Amino acid sequence: MNAVQRTAPLSVLLGAIVSGRGAIISAAAIAFSGIGKGERLWLALGVGVAAVVIGAGIAFVKWRRLTYTVGEADIRVESGVLSRTARSVPYERIQDVSLEAKLLPRLFGLVAVKFETGAGGADDLALQYLTAAQGEALRRLVRERRDEEQAAPTSADPAAPGAADDAEDSKVLYALTPGRLVTFGLFEFSLAIFAVLGGMLQYVDNVTAIDVWNVDLWRRWLGEQGSTVAHLGPYVQVAAALAGLAVLVIIGVATGVVRTVVRDWGFALTHSPRGFRRQRGLLTRSDVVMPAHRVQGLVIGTGLLRYRFGWHGLSFVSLAQDAESESHVVAPFAKMDEIGPIAAAAGFRLPDAATPWHRASERHRTVTTARDAAPFVALTIAAAIFAPFGLFLVPLGLAVIAVGANLYAWEFRRHAIDAAQVYASHGFLSPTQEIATRLKLHSVEIAQGPVARWGGYATVHLGLAGGHFAMHGVPINEARALRAAVLTTISATDYSRLDAPLGKGESQALSAAQPGFSANLRAT
Amino acid sequence: MDHAPALTSASPPPEDEGALTKLHPNYAHALRVRTTVTAIPVLIAALVVELVLRKEALLPPGVIAGPVLLIAVLLILRIPARRYGARGYQMGADRLRVVRGLLFRSDTVVPFGRVQHIDVQQGPLERFFGIATLTLHTAGNHNASVALPGLGEELAREMRETIRSHIRRETM
C-alpha cells in the first residue's frame, strides 16, 4: 500500500458548493441594492455562478496537487499548487487519528481525517476529504503500523492477540441518552444567542437602511415604550422587570439545550484493548480514537449548579486536543460512580477515603480573601464618603460576598500525593480535580511571590504534557517534600520508556517499574 | 477533614535543598549593561520633558530629570547585583535545579530523563562577556523550556554534554 493516493474526487464538488455558499451573501446584496438597475438579478446570478466555477477550479487544482502516501514507517502528504510542501509524519508520533464529518461532507459520505501529533491546531496533518470507508481503513492501518513499531523492540505487545478486530472486543463505557442530554443542556446556560443576534443586527445594518448603531433611534424607541411603562406604576414595573429576567433565563437555558444537543448528540465512549474511541455530534459528527497509554492526566470538572446535583465532567489530558479545549472530553455529564470505571480503564485511580488530602495553608486563604475583598472595601469607603447615603451598602455587600466565596473556596483547595499519583483540587464555588501520574511529570517548580514567602507557602507547578497541573497554597516544607518524592519517581524512568502501551489490567503507574504501588487498583 | 501525617516528616534528600552554585561573575556585568541600555530611553524621555517644560518656565530646572537619573543610577548599581545573588543552579547526578527571581522566586527542577532537547545560546552581549545560556526543553506545557543564563561558555557546553550523555545512556 505504498502507492501515491489522492483524496476523494467528491471533495472538488464540495469545494464548489462551499465557494457558492460564500457568494450567496454578496449575490443577495447585489440583488437588493441599486447596482445595475434592471439587470441586477442577472448580475447577482452571474456573481453566484462565477463563484461556483472559480471555487470548483481552485478545488480541482488543489485536489490534483495533493497526494498522500501511506509508507512503511510514515504517512507523507505532498500539497501546494505553486509552492510544494511535503510533510512526513512517523506512525509512532501520531497521538490519535480523528475522523470529523461536518454536515455538508456528511451528506456526501465524506470525512476529514486528522492525524494528531501534539504539534497542535494548524500544524497537525489533515486530509480533507476521504470517503468514510477510506478514512476508517486508513485509521485502522495507522493503528496497526504504530503498534507494530512499538511491539518490535519489546516483542511483547499485550494488545496483540485478537486486537486486529477491535469491534468485537470493545465495550461501551459511557453513552449519553437523549434524556440525559437534555438534562445536561439545562445546566449549560448560555447567552451566546445574543452575540449571534448582535452579528445579525450588524448585517441588517449593512444591507438595509436601518442604522442600528444610531443611538437616537433606540432612545426614541425606548422613550415611546418607557412612557407607556411609566404610566403603569411601580408594581407592574417590577413585575415587568422580573418577566424580562425570566425571559432571559428561558432563552439562555433553551440556547444551552440546543447547543448541547447539537454538539453531543449520540455521545458514546467505547473502550477496547487498543484504547478509547469517542463519537459525538448531531450535525458535525466526530470520531476520535485515543490510545490509553497516551493519557497524561485526568481533569474532573463540574459547574456551580450541576455540582449540587452530583454531576461532573471528565476530560483526558493528552498531547492531542479538542477544537475548543485543552483536553479531550470523554464524559461531559456523569455521576462520580460512572467516572470511576472510565478512569480505571485509562489506568488512573480516583481519590477515595484513603487519599491523603492536605489542605492549602491558612495564610494563603487569608491572603487571597484579603486580596479579593480589598477593591470592594476601598469602594465602600469611597462611597461612604462621597456618594449619597446608603449607596455604600452595594460594594460592602460585594466585599462580604468576596470574603464568603474565598472562605468557601478554601474548602476545595487541596492536594495529595500517593504512591503512584498526584492530586489537586481547586475552584471557587465548585471543585475541579486534577489527577496525574507521578511518572508522567516532566518538571517540578516551586514558585513564591513576596507575599507567599512571607506566608510560608508556595505554588507547586508540575510539568504535564498537554496540560497544566498546579497545587496552590502548599506550605513550603510540604512543597519541598512533595518535589523530592515526585523527582525520585521521575528520575527512575527515562522519557523514551513513558509511552509503552498499557497491558491488560495494568495501570499508568505500572507501565514502568514503580515501587510502592498500592493494590487498590487491581480490585477495580 | 482527615489530616494525613504531614509530608514534612520525610526529610528531603540533600540533593534538592543543598547549596546553590553561583553563576559566572560576568553575568552580573552583563545584567548591568542590559539594565543601562533599558534605562537610556527613559532618561532621554525625561530629558525631553525637562526641555519642553523649561521653555514654559513652570518648574525649577532638574525637577524631573534629576529624580529619574537618580532612580536609574540606583537601579543600575543595585538591581543587577541582587538579581545575580538571587540566581543559582545545582547540577545533580540526574537532575538540574534552577533558582531565580528577586520578588517572585521560582525554584525549578528538571530531571535529565525528561529533557527533550538542549540549547546553548549566546547573544552579542553574552559573547562579549564569554557567558552563555543553557536551555532545557521538556514536554510539559508548564516549563516547556527552562533557561539557565550566565554560565561560563565552556561550562555551558560541558553541562550540555553531560546531560546529553545521560539521556542517551538511559534510552539505550
Side-chain angles (χ1 to χ4, degrees):
Chain A
M1 197 159 158
N2 276 337
V4 174
Q5 299 177 63
R6 289 214 164 78
T7 54
L10 271 174
S11 315
V12 178
L13 185 66
L14 223 59
I17 294 176
V18 169
S19 167
R21 199 175 54 185
I24 284 179
I25 292 173
S26 45
I30 291 172
F32 290 107
S33 68
I35 304 170
K37 292 182 183 136
E39 290 95 38
R40 64 180 180 226
L41 273 182
W42 289 108
L43 196 64
L45 208 63
V47 167
V49 170
V52 169
V53 169
I54 293 171
I58 292 175
F60 177 75
V61 173
K62 273 193 182 160
W63 174 75
R64 275 294 300 177
R65 299 288 282 169
L66 190 145
T67 58
Y68 67 94
T69 316
V70 181
E72 289 296 327
D74 60 357
I75 288 195
R76 282 167 207 201
V77 174
E78 291 188 32
S79 65
V81 178
L82 293 176
S83 58
R84 300 279 287 167
T85 313
R87 182 176 278 185
S88 141
V89 180
Y91 291 124
E92 57 179 312
R93 284 286 170 271
I94 298 178
Q95 300 283 323
D96 60 16
V97 184
S98 67
L99 305 180
E100 188 184 79
K102 293 207 168 84
L103 181 59
L104 203 58
R106 218 171 135 202
L107 291 177
F108 292 100
L110 299 178
V111 289
V113 182
K114 256 176 83 180
F115 303 95
E116 308 221 32
T117 55
D123 288 338
D124 274 337
L125 194 64
L127 289 173
Q128 356 208 12
Y129 297 91
L130 300 184
T131 63
Q134 266 180 322
E136 195 58 52
L138 186 58
R139 168 150 82 183
R140 178 158 302 211
L141 190 95
V142 167
R143 262 194 279 167
E144 276 162 13
R145 291 275 161 90
R146 186 180 60 203
D147 290 350
E148 272 166 27
E149 288 210 347
Q150 276 171 349
T154 54
S155 79
D157 186 0
D165 193 9
D166 52 17
E168 288 171 17
D169 259 1
S170 64
K171 66 171 198 275
V172 176
L173 271 184
Y174 174 84
L176 268 176
T177 57
R180 167 85 67 95
L181 191 57
V182 171
T183 322
F184 178 26
L186 292 178
F187 289 103
E188 293 276 278
F189 181 84
S190 156
L191 290 176
I193 186 134
F194 289 101
V196 175
L197 282 178
M200 277 164 73
L201 266 182
Q202 178 108 47
Y203 188 59
V204 167
D205 180 50
N206 288 342
V207 176
T208 64
I210 305 170
D211 183 6
V212 291
W213 305 119
N214 185 348
V215 183
D216 288 339
L217 180 86
W218 291 101
R219 193 173 290 160
R220 201 172 61 230
W221 183 79
L222 276 178
E224 284 166 12
Q225 306 297 320
S227 58
T228 334
V229 174
H231 288 299
L232 293 174
Y235 292 108
V236 183
Q237 279 177 16
V238 169
L242 285 179
L245 212 62
V247 167
L248 205 66
V249 169
I250 290 169
I251 290 177
V253 169
T255 316
V257 170
V258 170
R259 268 171 42 138
T260 308
V261 168
V262 168
R263 188 186 60 216
D264 284 338
W265 179 261
F267 192 106
L269 180 76
T270 48
H271 179 239
S272 69
R274 287 189 180 277
F276 296 91
R277 176 179 191 183
R278 187 198 68 185
Q279 292 159 293
R280 68 169 183 180
L282 180 64
L283 302 177
T284 298
R285 191 95 181 125
S286 76
D287 184 346
V288 182
V289 170
M290 326 158 229
H293 63 273
R294 292 282 161 104
V295 181
Q296 309 281 327
L298 305 183
V299 178
I300 301 173
T302 182
L304 173 59
L305 269 181
R306 70 191 77 172
Y307 175 61
R308 305 296 178 288
F309 294 90
W311 295 107
H312 298 263
L314 176 69
S315 304
F316 283 168
V317 177
S318 76
L319 282 176
Q321 53 199 269
D322 279 347
E324 71 274 16
S325 66
E326 204 173 51
S327 316
H328 273 309
V329 179
V330 288
F333 195 64
K335 298 276 186 193
M336 274 320 251
D337 53 356
E338 292 170 307
I339 289 179
I342 305 176
F348 287 87
R349 200 155 42 81
L350 294 186
D352 50 27
T355 307
W357 285 109
H358 289 256
R359 277 267 166 93
S361 143
E362 291 193 19
R363 280 197 177 166
H364 179 253
R365 175 183 66 181
T366 317
V367 167
T368 51
T369 308
R371 182 197 64 198
D372 287 357
F376 297 118
V377 170
L379 263 180
T380 308
I381 295 171
I385 299 173
F386 300 109
F389 180 76
L391 208 61
F392 73 89
L393 285 173
V394 177
L396 187 65
L398 289 175
V400 170
I401 290 173
V403 169
N406 264 296
L407 294 185
Y408 188 52
W410 188 67
E411 289 292 314
F412 300 127
R413 203 170 296 133
R414 299 171 184 193
H415 57 271
I417 178 166
D418 64 17
Q421 299 181 150
V422 283
Y423 311 82
S425 156
H426 53 84
F428 243 92
L429 297 168
S430 56
T432 299
Q433 286 183 22
E434 291 158 347
I435 303 168
T437 322
R438 282 166 69 158
L439 198 62
K440 290 195 173 179
L441 298 171
H442 295 264
S443 64
V444 189
E445 174 181 349
I446 297 177
Q448 284 183 297
V451 183
R453 270 218 303 286
W454 164 81
Y457 58 85
T459 303
V460 181
H461 292 284
L462 300 169
L464 183 67
H468 292 270
F469 195 107
M471 301 174 176
H472 298 276
V474 184
I476 185 71
N477 288 329
E478 261 181 57
R480 293 216 173 97
L482 204 141
R483 177 168 75 177
V486 168
L487 281 169
T488 325
T489 315
I490 301 181
S491 306
T493 311
D494 187 66
Y495 176 80
S496 54
R497 301 217 188 109
L498 281 185
D499 268 351
L502 292 179
K504 277 199 178 70
E506 215 178 356
S507 86
Q508 293 272 2
L510 272 183
S511 57
Q514 162 65 38
F517 172 68
S518 74
N520 285 19
L521 188 104
R522 290 208 188 89
T524 55
Chain B
M1 184 63 206
D2 48 337
H3 273 270
L7 281 168
T8 45
S9 57
S11 64
E15 204 172 0
D16 291 326
E17 305 303 331
L20 293 169
T21 316
K22 282 276 154 225
L23 297 170
H24 198 282
N26 275 358
Y27 180 56
H29 303 312
L31 275 179
R32 189 157 288 140
V33 173
R34 202 171 296 155
T35 318
T36 314
V37 170
T38 341
I40 285 173
V42 180
L43 279 175
I44 291 176
L47 275 178
V48 169
V49 173
E50 182 80 30
L51 285 175
V52 169
L53 287 181
R54 182 165 296 175
K55 277 181 193 151
E56 310 281 326
L58 286 174
L59 294 167
V63 87
I64 290 173
V68 170
L69 186 68
L70 200 69
I71 290 170
V73 167
L74 275 179
L75 283 185
I76 290 165
L77 287 181
R78 195 89 187 89
I79 296 293
R82 296 210 42 200
R83 275 176 70 186
Y84 173 77
R87 274 189 182 270
Y89 71 97
Q90 192 186 353
M91 187 88 169
D94 57 358
R95 62 193 72 169
L96 176 68
R97 175 171 173 228
V98 177
V99 179
R100 64 186 160 79
L102 261 181
L103 277 179
F104 293 88
R105 294 204 45 95
S106 140
D107 184 339
T108 310
V109 179
V110 183
F112 297 157
R114 292 294 181 277
V115 173
Q116 300 283 314
H117 60 271
I118 315 164
D119 285 342
V120 174
Q121 298 152 306
Q122 275 187 306
L125 195 65
E126 289 178 306
R127 270 223 301 280
F128 177 78
F129 283 110
I131 55 178
T133 302
L134 180 77
T135 310
L136 304 186
H137 296 265
T138 73
N141 280 21
H142 188 86
N143 277 329
S145 57
V146 177
L148 176 58
L151 293 169
E153 210 177 319
E154 279 305 305
L155 181 64
R157 284 181 215 288
E158 247 169 58
M159 280 169 76
R160 180 181 65 184
E161 293 313 311
T162 315
I163 297 173
R164 202 175 64 183
S165 68
H166 196 92
I167 297 172
R168 195 184 290 159
R169 198 182 63 230
E170 288 209 346
T171 313
M172 285 201 296

